[in-house]
Amino acid sequence: MKSYLFSGRSFKLACLSFALFISPIAAETLQGGGEIYEINCQGCHMADGKGDKGAGVYPALANNVKLSSVSTTMEIVTNGLNGMPSFREYLTDEEILEVVNYIRVSFGNSFKDVAQLTDIPKN
Ligand code: HEC
C-alpha cells in the first residue's frame, strides 16, 4: 500500500501535522483543499457548495449541519455513499484530509474542530 518512507512525503506530512496541531487550519492547507474541491467535487456540489437543486440529487454542502461530524464527513468522502463516489482510490490521505477540512470551514460552515489523518477510515 502507500509508503511514506523515502518519498519526501513524510516531511510534508510532518509539516501538515504541525500546521494542523497549531490550528486554526493553515492558509496553505485551505488553499490546497480549495483546489482539490474545484477539481473533484464542484462538478456535482457546485462552486458555491449549494449542490444541484434542479436535479435535486446532489446535496448542498453549504450550511450543512451533517458536516459537524468529522467521522460522518470522512466516511462519506473516503468510502462514498450511493451517488457520491468513493475518493479512497483517487486522492491521497492528505488530499482527503485537506478537502474535508476545507468544506467544513467553507460555504457558511465554520466547525472549529480540525480533522486529522487518523480520522480517515481504514476501510
Ligand atoms: C458524481 C457526483 C459527486 C461528486 C464528484 C462528489 N459528490 Fe459528494 N455527494 C454526491 C451525492 C449524490 C451525495 C448524496 C449521497 C447520499 O446521501 O445518498 C453526496 C454527498 C456528500 C456529502 C454528504 C452531504 C450530506 O448532506 O449528506 C459530503 C460531505 C460530500 N458529498 C462531499 C464531497 C466532496 C468533498 C467531494 C469531492 C472530494 C464530493 N462530495 C464529490 C455526489 C458527488
Side-chain angles (χ1 to χ4, degrees), residues 43-92:
C44 292
H45 293 286
M46 301 296 134
D48 58 5
K50 291 191 177 151
D52 189 339
K53 286 184 188 140
V57 199
Y58 307 126
L61 303 182
N63 302 304
N64 187 337
V65 290
K66 206 163 164 184
L67 273 61
S68 65
S69 163
V70 166
S71 57
T72 302
T73 309
M74 276 295 192
E75 171 60 32
I76 293 173
V77 176
T78 309
N79 291 327
L81 179 70
N82 304 316
M84 165 73 190
S86 158
F87 280 90
R88 188 187 287 285
E89 304 300 326
Y90 299 107
L91 299 176
T92 64

